[in-house]
Amino acid sequence: FSEGVSYFGTKQEKEFIKRIYYDLPNISIDYGILEKASNVYVIGADLGWSDLGTWSALYGHKETDSNRNALTGGKIFAPDSHGNLISIPDGKVALIEGLDDYIVVDTSDALLIIRKQEEQKIKEYLESIKSISGGEIA
């Protein structure tokens, strides 16, 4: 990131980050940045905490409909579907019928449909998908 400091706060920032993102090591922000920074400060506060590092954690924080589905993004119709997290792009319409306890995430470049109980396999699957797609999946 230090080579792109001149781009930060400009119209070129997004393109710079997009260009280098896939070459960055896959490490946590505390190890990669915070432990090395000399200008980090702590202020005591009771804000509550949840690590939203998983789709299931996000599901736990989202409002759900009468069938316990957490729906985000466009217009989603989920008849006879229960306990799902469904996220689609704004402006898109989705019909998902008869699905129980799944994670469904549609992005501009990928579609994820996986049972919530198998969520721990997402990273493994993502690596496989990256290898066959040329590494362009975010």
Side-chain angles (χ1 to χ4, degrees):
F1 281 104
S2 59
E3 69 186 53
V5 169
S6 63
Y7 298 120
F8 298 156
T10 71
K11 291 180 182 179
Q12 293 82 25
E13 177 179 1
K14 186 174 181 178
E15 184 56 40
F16 169 74
I17 291 173
K18 185 177 178 181
R19 183 169 41 84
I20 68 163
Y21 183 79
Y22 292 104
D23 294 329
L24 295 174
N26 186 7
I27 57 176
S28 66
I29 192 167
D30 56 330
Y31 178 75
I33 297 174
L34 297 178
E35 289 181 8
K36 295 168 177 62
S38 61
N39 59 346
V40 176
Y41 302 94
V42 177
I43 298 174
D46 184 10
L47 306 172
W49 172 255
S50 178
D51 184 357
L52 291 179
T54 66
W55 289 107
S56 292
L58 178 61
Y59 173 84
H61 286 314
K62 296 289 295 174
E63 260 187 59
T64 59
D65 65 12
S66 60
N67 289 326
R68 302 178 342 276
N69 295 307
L71 311 173
T72 65
K75 295 186 185 317
I76 302 168
F77 302 96
D80 197 29
S81 295
H82 306 89
N84 301 297
L85 170 67
I86 304 170
S87 177
I88 65 170
D90 289 331
K92 194 166 194 177
V93 176
L95 169 64
I96 299 174
E97 190 270 335
L99 209 59
D100 293 334
D101 295 318
Y102 271 75
I103 299 166
V104 178
V105 180
D106 186 13
T107 68
S108 62
D109 59 358
L111 172 63
L112 166 74
I113 303 173
I114 190 168
R115 289 184 301 270
K116 279 199 270 182
Q117 67 200 33
E118 301 296 330
E119 177 181 38
Q120 72 281 358
K121 294 181 179 178
I122 291 175
K123 265 190 170 176
E124 170 190 336
Y125 292 151
L126 187 56
E127 290 306 313
S128 297
I129 291 169
K130 283 181 179 180
S131 70
I132 62 172
S133 68
E136 295 299 317
I137 304 298

